[in-house]
Amino acid sequence: MARSHVKELAREAFELNELVVDADGDLPFHHGSAVYYVSLVADGRLVRVWSRAVDGLAVTKPVLREVNDANAWLILARTWVQGSAVMVEGCLSVEALRAGDLRALCIEVGSTADGLGSMLAAVHGGQVVLPVGSVPGPADADE
């Protein structure tokens, strides 16, 4: 039941007729150079919006400083280093979730993954997940 509720909220939030669902049951979207996913976790009690902003990074003090600085201005999401990747994620309760809440979380995760990932890849190396010009899933639903 939570999955159909979240799908309906995503349709409403981004005014979409159709949604793409991947093999894991997640809803993939993209924002600039970032791909992010809307997933259900905690037995369907939470919606998780997450992205791998950049991969293949050499984790150094300047990279960690950039990740920490990004966390200082985030409201709904957080960033962290996992191996050689920088992750962006936020979670909200499905029970009280509204379309506007889901949209705000998606925009924060997507824009952070795009901006932070692109900057880290350009300055510190690594690769963004979605090279400019490639288009998976719905076209920039949140831009």
Side-chain angles (χ1 to χ4, degrees):
M1 185 159 83
R3 188 168 310 280
S4 62
H5 176 61
V6 170
K7 284 172 65 176
E8 185 54 39
L9 289 176
R11 274 192 205 92
E12 182 182 336
F14 297 113
E15 300 175 357
L16 299 170
N17 293 323
E18 301 271 333
L19 289 174
V20 173
V21 179
D22 70 11
D24 296 324
D26 299 336
L27 304 174
F29 292 92
H30 68 89
H31 187 113
S33 65
V35 175
Y36 66 89
Y37 300 88
V38 176
S39 307
L40 287 173
V41 296
D43 295 324
R45 294 187 314 271
L46 296 175
V47 63
R48 175 183 182 232
V49 178
W50 63 277
S51 178
R52 181 181 310 268
V54 63
D55 207 356
L57 267 179
V59 179
T60 61
K61 284 183 183 180
V63 167
L64 294 174
R65 196 171 303 117
E66 296 287 0
V67 170
N68 189 53
D69 288 349
N71 279 318
W73 54 263
L74 291 172
I75 297 169
L76 300 171
R78 64 189 179 109
T79 63
W80 74 96
V81 173
Q82 181 176 339
S84 65
V86 172
M87 305 295 294
V88 183
E89 153 188 275
C91 293
L92 292 172
S93 171
V94 170
E95 186 176 348
L97 190 64
R98 299 171 303 177
D101 301 328
L102 180 59
R103 180 179 174 83
L105 180 57
C106 287
I107 289 171
E108 184 164 303
V109 169
S111 63
T112 301
D114 175 36
L116 182 62
S118 295
M119 182 277 296
L120 288 172
V123 174
H124 301 284
Q127 305 84 35
V128 293
V129 173
L130 178 65
V132 175
S134 54
V135 183
D140 290 307
D142 53 354
E143 293 188 327

